[in-house]
Structure formats: structure tokens, C-alpha cells
Amino acid sequence: MVQRKGLDAGILLLALLARLAVLYLALSGFFLVGEGEVQANLAENILSGRGFMLSQSMMSNPDPRRDAALEFFRETGGFYGALIPEKPTTFLVPGYAIFEALIFMLTAPGNLNAVVTVQLLLGVLTVFAGMRLASRFLTGRWYAAAGLLLALDPFQMYYEAIPATQALFSLLFVSGLLLSMRFLESPGLLRGALAGLMWAITFMVRPAALPMALWLVAVCMFSGRFSPGKLASAGLLIAVFFGSLVPWMARNERTMGRWQLLPLQGGVQMWEYNGRIFTDHFVDEQEGARLLYQPVRNVWLGRLNKPELAEFPDFQGQGEFYRDSVLNQSQREFLLANPLVFLHLSACRFVEFFKPFPLNDFSLAHTVLGILSFFWVGVFFAAGSIRLLKFGSEGVFLAGVIAGYILMHLLTASGTPHRVALDPPLFIASLVGLRYCVARARKA
């Protein structure tokens, strides 16, 4: 036990030192802000009492660092094509903006350096939660390997160093998994309530948490013996989860006239990852996107059914609900008319999800770090996920989370930003698979 505590302390110290080094780079301007200005503007409006809305200045005074895709969206009269400035929005969930607003309240409005500092420090907690999760499936040197991977994951540290939702979501996501494991280990009202609350908070940062709460209840109810206590605990979990989201839905009904749970970015994402590839807006896309999706465009562009549905609609002042519904309907019709195109795009999204290094032009160091930290995961995670099924309800839950999270993103939107929160479970599953392969090789 003493040796284990020493190992844990060493790994956490390593995680802290690595993040202090990254913090130095971040404060020196090494990392781009990216789309963090959007969340920062939303946070400033929350802090000033204007509510969850985007300022008109985001449309009229674009940041020179903003990419061409966002410039196109400005021309539609709505940021991202659907987020209308100076009006209450439900295009995004507000969890991350509230997180930033709290930091701005303690420091200064728009202080993104403070946000990055907090995120990197919270990253140590992400490592700690990941280690507690790993300890349920790995021991000895395999547990130590998991700790090192969690502490030095370059993808995780990158997103902790920029003002984006991924860092906070990763901490909440792994914490949700850990609380879910404890609930499955011994279902109870308090543990059910805590798990439901954690998944609700996680949902308010990124909605990908919604299926995880439902999957947790399913695993609980269909594993082991049925009991009234288990039913009560699972029922309370669901009640706390959805009950915690009622204030968000009530706000949407009060300010926008509709009880709305999910954010209204689904239609825009569907267009970005499907129809846009076959329009002129793709021509100036980044090198990595062209490398991956240009062959799809070349193969299918002249053979599309209903190609007009791939174009971004010509909106003239309509609101978010209308824009989202039109985009969703047009993209559904486009994909139903071209099912093989959807399969081809999903295969590309699989590559984009699991790529171990950026496809854009980066230094050799980025490629080497990616290969060392993640390339092998794609080899062993599937076998490891199958082996997880032998760990009882906890293993079944984690394997289902991995499979469901991957499938959800292959069908909708993919890429490293979408995957990074899943890195800790993927590390664990891959090490479980690698351990099994090593044991079999020794017996051979």
C-alpha cells in the first residue's frame, strides 16, 4: 500500500510538472485561442447580466485569427450559421461559459490566461480520477503505465492549454465514470444521486454525456439480481439527472418560447461533416481536412443524388430553431439519397477520430508524441474492450461507454477535439488488451 501511494504521488507530481511547463508555453502565446473567443464572449455577457447570448461585436469585428469557415458563417447573419447575436441562444449548452464567467468574476473579464491556468491545474485532478478508474482494472506495472499515459497525454494537455470545452469536459467525464463505477459496485440512493448530478453537470458542458447516464441505468438494472433498492436507486439517478436540467429547459422556454434540452448546433454539425464537403466552401479548407476528405469529394461529387441539398441554405434573418430544423431536414434527405456517401464519410470520421497526430502541417515532434502516446491504442483498444466484459457490470459499463461514444461520433462529428475526453478509458482498455496479448504470448 505504501509503495502504491508513492507511485500515485510520483505520477501526480509528474502530471503537475508537465502542466506547469505547458502553462509557461501557453502564457507565452504558444497556443492559439481558436474559437475560445466565442465562449469568452458568452461568459462576459453572463457576468454582465445580459444573459446567455452572443454580442453583435463578434459579427462586425472578427478576430484576425479566426479561420475562413467562421468568416463564411458571419455572412449568413448568424455566427456558425445559426447563432444569432444579441438574442438569447440555445445553440450551445452554457456550462463552459458559466465556468469561464466564474473565473472572470474572480480575476477580470476576458482573462483567458486565468482560464488556461485553472484548466491546467484541474488537469491534475483529471489524472487523479483517471488513475482511480484505472485501479479497478489494472495492477502493478500496467497500472503504472496507465498513470504515466494519463499524466503525459499530449492531447489532453493541449486542450487544457486553450480556452475550449474539452479540458473541463474531460475532468467531468472521467469523474462521471468513476462515480458510475462506485454506483454499480454498490447501488444506493446517495451514490445514484451523485452519479445523476455529475452526468447532468457534464451534459451542460458537452451533450455527449446524455447517453452515458441512460447506459448506466440500463447496466444497473440488467446486471445482478433485481431488488426494490436497486430500482429506487436507478430511479433517483434518472430523476436527479433530468431534474437538474429542468432549469436549463425552463430558461429556454422563458426566453425562446420552447422547452428545449439539446443545443441547436446539430444541424450545423451535420452540414459541416457531410454536405459542406461537396460545396465550394470546402475548397479553402485546412490541409488536414482536404487530405482526408478530398478523395471522397473526388469520387462522389459528379454522382450525387439531390446535390442541391448539400448547399448551405440561404437564410434571411430566421431564428435558431428554424435554421436548425431546416439544416437537419436537408442533411437527412441528402444522406438518405446518398447512403454510400454517408458510409464513406463515416469511414473517414473513424480515421479522424483515431488519428495519432495532426494531419495539418506540424513539426516532427508533434508526430512523434502522437505515435508514442496514442498510435498503439488503435491496435489494442477493441480487444481490451472485449476483455473488459469479464470485469462484471463495471467492465460492461466501461466497454459500452467506449463503443457508444465512438459510434456516436462516427455518425455525427469526429476528430481529436471530440475524442480527447475518451482517452483515459481508451488507455485503460488498450492496456487491458495488451496485458492479455502479452500473457498469451508467454504461454505460447
Side-chain angles (χ1 to χ4, degrees), residues 3 44 54 66 69 76 82 104-105 114 136 153 167 169 179 224 244 249 291 295 358 363 400 412 432 440 443:
Q3 185 178 6
E44 290 174 19
L54 194 73
R66 198 179 297 165
T76 68
F104 293 165
M105 182 174 62
R136 294 175 172 271
D153 181 6
F169 180 70
L179 288 174
S244 300
M249 293 186 286
L291 177 65
S363 69
T412 55
V432 168
R440 290 296 299 267
K443 291 180 179 180

Side-chain angles (χ1 to χ4, degrees), residues 34-116:
E35 298 178 15
E37 54 171 331
V38 178
Q39 292 282 358
N41 182 260
L42 293 169
E44 290 174 19
N45 285 333
I46 291 174
L47 189 61
S48 67
R50 300 184 66 219
F52 190 54
M53 67 172 63
L54 194 73
S55 300
Q56 183 63 41
S57 61
M58 295 294 292
M59 299 290 290
S60 58
N61 298 311
D63 190 303
R65 296 167 293 183
R66 198 179 297 165
D67 61 38
L70 292 181
E71 289 305 296
F72 154 68
F73 284 141
R74 286 178 63 244
E75 298 172 3
T76 68
F79 211 85
Y80 298 111
L83 204 171
I84 312 300
E86 301 299 334
K87 292 184 179 181
T89 182
T90 184
F91 182 78
L92 301 166
V93 284
Y96 186 75
I98 294 173
F99 166 75
E100 283 194 328
L102 292 174
I103 296 174
F104 293 165
M105 182 174 62
L106 297 174
T107 56
N111 190 346
L112 294 181
N113 283 338
V115 172
V116 169

Side-chain angles (χ1 to χ4, degrees), residues 3-24:
Q3 185 178 6
R4 169 72 173 274
K5 288 183 177 179
L7 174 63
D8 289 353
I11 290 174
L12 292 175
L13 177 60
L14 181 62
L16 176 60
L17 293 175
R19 280 157 177 79
L20 290 176
V22 173
L23 177 60
Y24 173 79

Side-chain angles (χ1 to χ4, degrees), residues 10-264:
I11 290 174
L12 292 175
L13 177 60
L14 181 62
L16 176 60
L17 293 175
R19 280 157 177 79
L20 290 176
V22 173
L23 177 60
Y24 173 79
L25 294 174
L27 297 181
S28 302
F30 183 82
F31 301 101
L32 295 177
V33 173
E35 298 178 15
E37 54 171 331
V38 178
Q39 292 282 358
N41 182 260
L42 293 169
E44 290 174 19
N45 285 333
I46 291 174
L47 189 61
S48 67
R50 300 184 66 219
F52 190 54
M53 67 172 63
L54 194 73
S55 300
Q56 183 63 41
S57 61
M58 295 294 292
M59 299 290 290
S60 58
N61 298 311
D63 190 303
R65 296 167 293 183
R66 198 179 297 165
D67 61 38
L70 292 181
E71 289 305 296
F72 154 68
F73 284 141
R74 286 178 63 244
E75 298 172 3
T76 68
F79 211 85
Y80 298 111
L83 204 171
I84 312 300
E86 301 299 334
K87 292 184 179 181
T89 182
T90 184
F91 182 78
L92 301 166
V93 284
Y96 186 75
I98 294 173
F99 166 75
E100 283 194 328
L102 292 174
I103 296 174
F104 293 165
M105 182 174 62
L106 297 174
T107 56
N111 190 346
L112 294 181
N113 283 338
V115 172
V116 169
T117 301
V118 172
Q119 287 185 169
L120 284 163
L121 293 176
L122 290 178
V124 180
L125 294 181
T126 305
V127 174
F128 176 77
M131 291 168 64
R132 298 281 64 76
L133 189 64
S135 68
R136 294 175 172 271
F137 305 98
L138 298 165
T139 58
R141 60 180 179 177
W142 300 104
Y143 171 76
L148 289 174
L149 287 166
L150 291 167
L152 300 177
D153 181 6
F155 300 103
Q156 192 69 251
M157 286 191 287
Y158 172 82
Y159 285 103
E160 290 168 2
I162 61 175
T165 59
Q166 282 80 10
L168 181 60
F169 180 70
S170 291
L171 173 59
L172 296 174
F173 185 79
V174 178
S175 299
L177 293 177
L178 187 58
L179 288 174
S180 297
M181 296 295 173
R182 292 176 178 172
F183 172 71
L184 290 172
E185 182 180 50
S186 179
L189 294 178
L190 178 59
R191 291 189 173 191
L194 289 175
L197 179 61
M198 179 58 70
W199 284 120
I201 295 172
T202 308
F203 172 91
M204 292 300 288
V205 176
R206 292 181 74 91
L210 173 60
M212 310 309 158
L214 302 178
W215 172 237
L216 174 59
V217 170
V219 172
C220 174
M221 294 307 302
F222 290 98
S223 62
R225 293 183 177 181
F226 172 81
S227 69
K230 180 188 290 188
L231 178 62
S233 299
L236 181 62
L237 190 157
I238 286 295
V240 169
F241 176 76
F242 284 106
S244 300
L245 299 175
V246 167
W248 162 243
M249 293 186 286
R251 173 266 180 191
N252 294 334
E253 194 280 330
R254 184 178 66 255
T255 61
M256 305 183 70
R258 181 187 300 183
W259 289 85
Q260 181 73 24
L261 173 61
L262 294 174
L264 297 177

Side-chain angles (χ1 to χ4, degrees), residues 150 153 155-156 374 419-428:
L150 291 167
D153 181 6
F155 300 103
Q156 192 69 251
F374 195 77
R419 189 211 73 219
V420 69
L422 194 66
D423 279 6
L426 284 174
F427 287 152
I428 293 169

